[in-house]
Amino acid sequence: MTVAQPEGLNFECETGNYHTFCPISCVAWLYQKIEDSFFLVIGTKTCGYFLQNAMGVMIFAEPRYAMAELEEGDISAKLNDYEELKRLSLQIKRDRNPSVIVWIGTCTTEIIKMDLEGLAPKLEAEIGIPIVVARANGLDYAFTQGEDTVLAAMAARCPKKEVEAEKEERNAIQKLLNFGRQKEEVAAADREYVDHPPLVLFGSLPDPVVTQLTLELKKQGIKVSGWLPSKRYTELPVLEEGYYVCGVNPFLSRTATTLMRRRKCKLIGAPFPIGPDGTRAWIEKICSVFGIEPKGLDDRERQIWESVEDYVKLIRGKTVFFMGDNLLEISQARFLIRCGAIVPEIGIPYMDKRYQAAELKLLEETCKEMGAPMPTIIEKPDNYNQLQRIHEMQPDLVITGMAHANPLEARGINTKWSVEFTFAQIHGFTNTRDLLELATRPLRRNSNLKDLGWDKLVKEAAEV
Amino acid sequence: MKLAYWMYAGPAHIGTLRVASSFKNVHAIMHAPIGDDYFNVMRSMLERERNYTPVTTSVVDRNVLARGSQEKVVDNITRKDKEENPDLIVLTPTCTSSILQEDLENFVDRAQMDSKGDVMLADVNHYRVNELQAADRTLEQIVEYYIKKARKKGNLPEGKTEKPSVNIIGMSTLGFHNQHDCIELKRLMADLGVEVNEVIPESASVHNLQNLPRAWFNLVPYRELGLMAAKYLEKEFEMPYIDITPMGVVETARCIRKIQQVINAQGANVDYEEFIDNQTRFVSQAAWFSRSIDCQNLTGKKAVVFGDNTHAAAMTKVLAREMGIHVVMAGTYCKYDADWFRKEVSEYCDEVLISEDNGEIADAIARIEPSAIFGTQMERHVGKRLSIPCGVIASPIHIQNFPIGYKPFLGYEGTNQVADLVYNSFTLGMEDHLLEIFGGHDTKEVIHKGMSADSDLNWTKEARAELNKVPGFVRGKVKRNTEKFARERNLSEISIEVMYAAKEAVGA
Ligand code: SF4
C-alpha cells in the first residue's frame, strides 16, 4: 500500500495535553458485544473508579467485568502474580463460566513490568479457559484505541480452516437433523453472491449495524464470511492466508497491522462507512478490489441525502470545531463538510496516515468538491490552546469531551459531547439520520431557546 | 490482588482534587497518564459546573518512563503559572506516580523558583489512603502552609473577631449536598448571632486562610473532611472545634448547645434554649412529624442504613431515636474510622456492618428484608432488584443527587428534607403492598429474595399455594422463617403442617 500524503491538508502536532477517556473504557462496550466474555482489568483503584463512573448505570447490571485491584503487596512483588491471577481467574470461572477471559493490562502493570503475555498461556492451560491479553493502558493509547488492542489480540485467536472442520464434526448430530433443508438453503443463498475470495470485516459494532452493513454488501453480491469480533468468542471468524479484511472504524490500525502481518490477510484500505458518502465509498472500494461493478449506489446515496435534507440544512454553512478525543474525527469531519459545514480544525489523539489514507484522501476531495477550506489536522492537541482558538473564532459547534462541554455552553458556544458518537449507531446508510440527529441536537436545542436572551451564563464571558 | 466490582470511596488523588478545585484560583496538576483526568468530567457533569475545572495533567507516557518527568513537570507548572496566575498550584500524585518514585518534591522546589504563585506537592499516597482521607489531609496541608507562610511574614492577625464567629470547615465540590448544607449552616449561624469568619475549602481564597485564627471556634459538620485541619488549628491556636453533625432534630440541638458552651466560655453570653425550642416545635416540621399518625404507622418498621460515617451515623440516629423505626443494621464503608462509627450507632441498631464489599452489603439486605433502605446509589440498585425502596443518603452518587432545588441535609430545613425522604421511602413501599393485597390473591410465583444461595428445600404444592396467600410484604419473611425452622429440624420437605408449626414456633 502506498502512503497517500494528501496535499492541501495541514498536519500539526501539539503538546498532547488533552482530555480523553482511558482506553480501558473499551471494556464497557466489548463485554456487551462479546456475550460469553469476561473482562478482568488488572489495575488500581484509579482504573476502577474511572470505569465505575464512566459506565454509569451499566455497572449495576452485573456486568461481565471486574477489577483485579493491585495492592501494595503486588507492587512490591511480595505476592506472586501468577498465584494471584490464578486465584481470581478461578473465581471468575466458578461464578460466571465465560468462554474467554480478557486481561486488560494497565499503566501499573506496564510500569511494574508484570508479564501478562507470559503468564496467560500457562494459566490458560491450567484452568482451561482461553486468556487473551490486551495492554490497553493510558501510557500508550487513547479511548477507542483500547478496542484496537483487544481486537489485535483476538485476531491471533481466530481459527484456521482445519479447526473449523473439527468444530463441524462436533455439531454433526445437529447437522444431520436438518441436513436436507440446510444444504438447499445454503446453496440458494450462495447463488446470490458473486464468487470472490473470503472477506472478513473488523471492528465492534452493535448487532443491528452488523446486519445492516452485511446486507448492504450482499446487495452487491459480496459475502461477509465473518466479523471480528463476533457475538460470541466461540464464533470468532476463520482467517486464512490470502483472506481479505476491511475495517469499519478509523481507530483500528493495530488490528489491521496484525491481520496483515501475522495472519497474512490482505487489507482493503477504504474510507469508513460513516455517513452516506463514506458508506458508498467504502462499498465501492470493496467492490473494486473484487472486480465488481457496484449497482444502484448512486440512487441509494441520493435518496439518503434527500431524506435527511431537513437536518443537513441546519449544518450547511456552519463552522464545526473538533477538539479530538476518539479518533472518529476525520470521518465525521469529512461527512459534515459534505453536508456543507466548514471545519477549521480537526483535533485527533493519534493519526495513522497509512491506515486512514483512503479516508484522508476522501476528506481532501470532499473539501475540493464542496469548495470548503482545508482543515488543519492537529494530532495530540493541547486543550488549553484549543480553547483560546475556540474563543477567538467562535465556531457554531464544538465537538468535545464532557470536561469542556458545560463550560463552553455557559460561554454561549454550542457543543456536542463526542463520546456519544462512539456509543450511538452511526455507520451505514441506515444510520445517517441518527448521526445527524446527534450532530444537530445542540443547534436545534439552542434555536428553540434563542429568543430567551441568556446565552452567556458566566460573569466574565470570554475568559478561559 | 482483590477482585472488585464497585468501590465506595475513590482513589486518593480524587480527594486532593476535590479540595484543591474547591478553592478559588487554585490549580491542580496531576502527575498521571492521559485518561486520568476523569475528575474533570465528573465535576463538569455532576456539579453542572460552568467554569473550566482547574485541573490539568502533566502527562506520564512512554517518554517519561524512559527519561523521567522532571523537565515536563516543572515546565507544566511554570506554564500554568503564567497562563492563569493561580495563587497556588498543587502537584497531585496518582497511583502511577506512587510507583515511579520520582522526586516530585524536588520538581516542586524547582518550579517554585520560576513561579509567581505558590507550588506544593500533595502529601498523599495512593496505596495508603483513599479519597476521603486524602481530602482531609490535603485541606490540612493547605491550611498549614498558609498559616506558616503568614507567620513567617508576620501577617498573622492578632486576636479574635469582636463578635462570636465560626469557621465552617469541610464544604467541598462533589460532596453530598454540600452546597445546600453550606447555605443552611450559614443561615443557622446568622440566626444564632454567630458570624461566619471563613468557609473552607469551597469558594475560599487561600489568601484568607491566615484569617482562620480570628474565629472563636471551628465547626466541622462532616466526619470525613475537615477534622485534621480543625485539630491542627486547635494545636496551633487553641481554637476549640465542634464535630457534632447537625443532622436531625436532636443532633442539631446538641450542636447548638455545644456552640453556646464554647462561645460562652470565651466571654459571650448567649442562651439558645428558646431558639432551639421554637425551631423544634414550630419551624422544623420534623418533631411534629414524629408525633403525627403518619409516623406512628412507621413504628417498628425495619430499615437498613449504609453510607459514609457522617450520614449513616446521623441517619441511624434519626430513624431510631426520632421516628421509632427499627434499624436492623447500620453500616459504613469508612473502614479506617470504624471505631468511631461503632461507638456512634451501637445503641441505635441491632447490627453494625463495616465493609467495602458491596456484595456483602447486598446479601445482608437480602437476608434482613427491611421495608426501606437508606444508602448510596449502590444500595438503591440493590433495592430495585429486591423491590425495596431506597432513599439515597450518601456518596457515591449520581447526577440526580445533585438537585437544583434547595435540599440540605443539615440544620432545621435539613430535618424537613430528611423527614420527607424517610416518609416517601416507606410509603412507596407500603403502597406497593396495599396494591398487592387488594389486588386479590395473586398467583405470582414466590420469588426468593436472597441475593446469593438459592433454597435447597422442597415446598409441597399445597404449602406453596398457602404461602402465596400470605401478603407480599411479609411473604419473604414467612418463607425464610419456615425454611429456617425446617432446616433446624432436618426436614427436607415443607408441607402446610410444617408451615404452621413454624409460625407457632417463631410467632411469625
Ligand atoms: S490511565 Fe492508566 S492508571 Fe489511569 S485508568 Fe487508565 S490504565 Fe488505569
Side-chain angles (χ1 to χ4, degrees):
Chain A
M1 203 173 64
T2 50
V3 182
Q5 263 280 21
E7 274 176 17
L9 291 170
N10 316 307
F11 291 90
E12 278 175 29
C13 190
E14 276 188 312
T15 62
N17 216 320
Y18 63 101
H19 163 75
T20 182
F21 275 14
C22 170
I24 59 173
S25 52
C26 67
V27 164
W29 64 88
L30 287 176
Y31 92 77
Q32 293 194 19
K33 175 69 194 182
I34 309 171
E35 289 169 2
D36 54 353
S37 61
F38 191 97
F39 284 79
L40 183 67
V41 180
I42 304 160
T44 62
K45 253 187 189 317
T46 307
C47 316
Y49 190 72
F50 163 67
L51 272 178
Q52 169 173 322
N53 287 296
M55 282 210 231
V57 289
M58 281 194 278
I59 202 84
F60 299 109
E62 304 237 346
R64 291 184 317 281
Y65 120 86
M67 291 295 308
E69 194 184 312
L70 300 168
E71 292 164 298
E72 214 164 5
D74 301 299
I75 306 302
S76 56
K78 281 212 190 72
L79 297 166
N80 179 318
D81 297 338
Y82 185 79
E83 289 306 320
E84 291 295 296
L85 284 167
K86 181 173 152 190
R87 185 170 57 81
L88 301 193
S89 299
L90 280 172
Q91 193 178 334
I92 291 165
K93 181 182 177 183
R94 197 186 58 223
D95 294 349
R96 304 293 186 94
N97 195 28
S99 312
V100 61
I101 299 179
V102 183
W103 285 354
I104 302 287
T106 61
C107 299
T108 306
T109 58
E110 287 295 314
I111 296 170
I112 64 173
K113 301 205 165 52
M114 194 185 279
D115 180 22
L116 297 176
E117 269 104 346
L119 298 173
K122 262 175 43 195
L123 190 56
E124 177 170 320
E126 200 178 336
I127 68 170
I129 295 183
I131 296 174
V132 171
V133 179
R135 302 161 159 208
N137 62 72
L139 295 169
D140 299 307
Y141 306 109
F143 198 7
T144 49
Q145 287 179 294
E147 175 180 322
D148 194 23
T149 62
V150 173
L151 295 190
M154 291 238 169
R157 300 301 183 110
C158 290
K160 293 196 164 191
K161 264 210 187 96
E162 311 94 74
V163 184
E164 185 69 357
E166 250 173 55
K167 210 162 145 195
E168 287 192 14
E169 200 94 297
R170 284 202 302 272
N171 291 334
I173 297 182
Q174 230 180 353
K175 275 269 158 69
L176 261 173
L177 287 175
N178 42 26
F179 186 60
R181 205 189 56 194
Q182 251 196 0
K183 196 177 171 190
E184 261 168 41
E185 271 175 13
V186 168
D190 272 351
R191 276 197 295 278
E192 295 169 36
Y193 295 111
V194 180
D195 190 28
H196 64 81
L199 170 69
V200 172
L201 300 178
F202 58 96
S204 166
L205 293 178
D207 293 336
V209 185
V210 167
T211 310
Q212 288 156 11
L213 289 179
T214 307
L215 286 176
E216 216 62 73
L217 289 173
K218 190 177 172 190
K219 283 186 192 151
Q220 305 298 335
I222 295 168
K223 183 176 180 178
V224 178
S225 315
W227 203 296
L228 172 69
S230 39
K231 258 170 92 91
R232 304 178 62 80
Y233 177 77
T234 49
E235 293 162 4
L236 279 179
V238 173
L239 284 178
E240 285 285 336
E241 182 165 346
Y243 274 27
Y244 280 82
V245 291
C246 187
V248 297
N249 264 325
F251 44 77
L252 298 171
S253 46
R254 281 170 64 91
T255 310
T257 311
T258 310
L259 290 169
M260 286 192 292
R261 301 236 174 98
R262 291 195 48 191
R263 305 303 304 248
K264 305 274 182 281
C265 297
K266 294 181 182 149
L267 177 70
I268 302 177
F272 301 99
I274 292 169
D277 50 338
T279 308
R280 176 194 174 151
W282 183 72
I283 297 172
E284 277 177 346
K285 183 64 194 277
I286 296 173
C287 284
S288 81
V289 169
F290 292 144
I292 297 167
E293 184 67 37
K295 300 182 292 267
L297 279 182
D298 259 348
D299 282 348
R300 184 107 173 88
E301 191 192 347
R302 203 188 52 245
Q303 274 161 14
I304 297 288
W305 282 118
E306 277 166 13
S307 73
V308 294
E309 173 57 23
D310 49 338
Y311 282 108
V312 172
K313 69 171 185 254
L314 295 173
I315 292 192
R316 209 167 279 144
K318 300 282 192 323
T319 31
V320 184
F321 189 109
F322 285 85
M323 287 187 79
D325 70 344
N326 60 12
L327 284 93
L328 292 171
E329 293 88 1
I330 303 287
S331 310
Q332 283 182 344
R334 178 260 302 149
F335 165 66
L336 291 181
I337 293 171
R338 172 63 65 187
C339 291
I342 293 154
V343 178
E345 173 164 337
I346 309 176
I348 186 168
Y350 168 72
M351 179 74 246
D352 185 339
K353 286 185 192 159
R354 256 173 92 105
Y355 176 63
Q356 295 224 42
E359 184 62 87
L360 286 169
K361 192 155 154 270
L362 183 60
L363 168 64
E364 206 191 345
E365 284 166 12
T366 305
C367 287
K368 284 186 186 144
E369 276 169 39
M370 300 301 293
M374 294 281 169
T376 303
I377 294 170
I378 302 208
E379 202 178 346
K380 293 180 180 294
D382 184 295
N383 280 168
Y384 182 84
N385 296 344
Q386 285 184 313
L387 290 175
Q388 311 294 325
R389 295 197 286 272
I390 288 169
H391 288 302
E392 208 169 289
M393 70 174 79
Q394 297 281 319
D396 296 299
L397 180 65
V398 176
I399 314 248
T400 179
M402 199 63 209
H404 295 111
N406 269 340
L408 281 168
E409 290 281 350
R411 285 157 182 79
I413 291 174
N414 299 323
T415 61
K416 181 74 222 138
W417 188 26
S418 55
V419 173
E420 280 189 74
F421 292 103
T422 24
F423 296 115
Q425 307 190 352
I426 60 168
H427 291 73
F429 289 123
T430 322
N431 295 308
T432 307
R433 178 165 281 272
D434 295 40
L435 179 54
L436 281 163
E437 161 78 27
L438 279 182
T440 59
R441 192 178 298 155
L443 302 173
R444 285 177 288 128
R445 195 270 305 263
N446 289 351
S447 80
N448 287 343
L449 307 183
K450 77 171 183 299
D451 294 333
L452 295 174
W454 53 69
D455 58 343
K456 293 210 173 57
L457 293 152
V458 281
K459 295 243 166 76
E460 312 99 285
E463 221 185 59
V464 176
Chain B
M1 266 179 227
K2 193 169 86 184
L3 200 60
Y5 298 89
W6 169 266
M7 71 182 81
Y8 284 96
H13 69 266
I14 298 288
T16 294
L17 298 181
R18 276 180 54 192
V19 167
S21 65
S22 293
F23 279 106
K24 265 195 309 222
N25 211 25
V26 170
H27 199 101
I29 296 186
M30 300 169 69
H31 184 239
I34 202 155
D36 278 356
D37 64 352
Y38 193 72
F39 176 79
N40 297 35
V41 176
M42 293 190 64
R43 187 153 182 275
S44 178
M45 262 174 86
L46 299 179
E47 298 259 28
R48 295 180 204 87
E49 180 55 56
R50 300 173 198 215
N51 286 312
Y52 298 105
T53 300
V55 174
T56 44
T57 309
S58 178
V59 178
V60 178
D61 57 15
R62 283 284 155 191
N63 287 333
V64 165
L65 289 195
R67 273 183 245 126
S69 45
Q70 168 144 355
E71 293 310 322
K72 202 167 180 180
V73 170
V74 174
D75 286 352
N76 278 316
I77 294 175
T78 48
R79 176 184 161 186
K80 195 46 71 185
D81 180 66
K82 287 201 190 70
E83 280 169 356
E84 303 197 18
N85 292 316
D87 297 323
L88 168 68
I89 290 179
V90 180
L91 182 61
T92 309
T94 59
C95 59
T96 304
S97 39
S98 281
I99 47 175
L100 284 179
Q101 297 193 324
E102 289 186 283
D103 191 356
L104 296 180
E105 193 73 63
N106 172 21
F107 304 169
V108 161
D109 290 344
R110 283 199 32 208
Q112 180 67 83
M113 291 191 288
D114 293 325
S115 301
K116 278 216 237 60
D118 299 312
V119 187
M120 85 166 45
L121 173 67
D123 169 35
V124 294
N125 180 323
H126 176 92
Y127 292 96
R128 303 283 160 83
V129 294
N130 69 17
E131 168 187 351
L132 304 171
Q133 295 161 291
D136 203 12
R137 169 67 186 130
T138 303
L139 184 59
E140 179 196 30
Q141 206 187 342
I142 295 178
V143 167
E144 184 179 350
Y145 182 94
Y146 282 97
I147 293 289
K148 282 195 173 145
K149 189 176 169 181
R151 185 174 278 150
K152 210 157 110 198
K153 288 195 170 164
N155 284 347
L156 268 190
E158 291 289 321
K160 299 284 171 192
T161 55
E162 198 177 319
K163 291 205 189 117
S165 64
V166 61
N167 299 316
I168 301 176
I169 302 183
M171 299 295 165
S172 84
T173 187
L174 291 174
F176 183 75
H177 292 243
N178 272 203
Q179 291 181 359
H180 310 282
D181 284 350
C182 188
I183 296 170
E184 187 62 21
L185 288 182
K186 283 185 186 165
R187 280 189 191 167
L188 180 62
M189 292 308 134
D191 287 347
L192 297 176
V194 173
E195 279 173 2
V196 175
N197 186 52
E198 298 289 339
V199 176
I200 59 168
E202 185 60 47
S203 304
S205 159
V206 290
H207 298 310
N208 292 357
L209 292 175
Q210 64 191 36
N211 296 333
L212 286 171
R214 286 177 53 77
W216 291 31
F217 70 102
N218 292 314
L219 177 61
V220 185
Y222 308 119
R223 174 77 191 169
E224 291 77 17
L225 174 53
L227 264 190
M228 287 178 82
K231 283 182 180 158
Y232 168 78
L233 292 169
E234 183 189 43
K235 192 181 85 203
E236 291 293 314
F237 304 101
E238 288 165 22
M239 289 180 80
Y241 69 85
I242 296 173
D243 60 350
I244 300 165
T245 305
M247 181 169 151
V249 177
V250 178
E251 290 298 288
T252 303
R254 199 158 74 91
C255 181
I256 294 172
R257 288 192 182 108
K258 183 79 189 177
I259 294 174
Q260 173 180 319
Q261 183 199 331
V262 162
I263 61 177
N264 281 349
Q266 296 175 61
N269 184 16
V270 294
D271 181 358
Y272 293 141
E273 285 309 325
E274 199 182 323
F275 172 77
I276 294 171
D277 183 62
N278 190 46
Q279 287 285 332
T280 305
R281 290 199 296 146
F282 305 113
V283 180
S284 160
Q285 298 295 315
W288 156 234
F289 170 74
S290 44
R291 294 274 162 193
S292 72
I293 300 301
D294 287 341
C295 195
Q296 201 184 84
N297 287 335
L298 301 182
T299 308
K301 289 240 169 292
K302 290 197 297 188
V304 164
V305 180
F306 193 83
D308 59 6
N309 266 358
T310 303
H311 293 92
M315 198 64 191
T316 302
K317 291 182 209 165
V318 169
L319 291 172
R321 194 164 55 184
E322 297 178 21
M323 296 182 178
I325 287 159
H326 177 187
V327 180
V328 182
M329 187 188 86
T332 178
Y333 54 82
C334 297
K335 261 175 130 167
Y336 64 95
D337 196 17
D339 293 343
W340 179 86
F341 186 76
R342 263 205 202 87
K343 200 173 97 248
E344 288 293 302
V345 302
S346 290
E347 60 180 301
Y348 301 107
C349 62
D350 306 349
E351 305 169 32
V352 175
L353 177 66
I354 313 284
S355 173
E356 293 174 322
D357 174 356
N358 65 292
E360 191 181 352
I361 294 140
D363 282 345
I365 293 173
R367 166 174 56 81
I368 293 166
E369 289 188 66
S371 309
I373 310 166
F374 298 92
T376 72
Q377 276 293 337
M378 188 39 120
E379 284 67 49
R380 191 172 75 84
H381 284 266
V382 170
K384 253 191 187 166
R385 272 189 281 161
L386 298 172
S387 339
I388 302 171
C390 177
V392 174
I393 56 149
S395 296
I397 41 183
H398 285 170
I399 190 135
Q400 67 262 38
N401 304 112
F402 288 88
I404 300 171
Y406 186 54
K407 291 208 161 57
F409 270 64
L410 304 187
Y412 285 110
E413 178 53 28
T415 62
N416 294 338
Q417 298 292 337
V418 170
D420 274 345
L421 182 74
V422 171
Y423 185 63
N424 289 342
S425 302
F426 279 106
T427 47
L428 258 180
M430 298 234 285
E431 264 171 31
D432 273 0
H433 297 320
L434 285 173
L435 274 179
E436 220 174 311
I437 293 169
F438 290 111
H441 294 308
D442 60 287
T443 46
K444 265 191 281 170
E445 275 295 285
V446 181
I447 305 156
H448 180 72
K449 282 191 171 176
M451 299 289 281
S452 43
D454 216 328
S455 168
D456 50 340
L457 291 161
N458 228 344
W459 286 67
T460 66
K461 226 176 107 203
E462 295 77 33
R464 196 172 283 277
E466 197 64 22
L467 183 65
N468 278 348
K469 289 183 201 157
V470 176
F473 62 100
V474 282
R475 193 184 296 147
K477 190 172 148 204
V478 171
K479 180 167 188 272
R480 214 162 19 80
N481 285 342
T482 310
E483 288 182 349
K484 187 167 160 235
F485 175 85
R487 235 173 249 128
E488 279 163 7
R489 282 159 189 76
N490 277 326
L491 302 168
S492 62
E493 194 176 72
I494 295 172
S495 59
I496 298 194
E497 287 79 8
V498 176
M499 244 179 110
Y500 285 108
K503 182 173 172 150
E504 285 150 24
V506 284

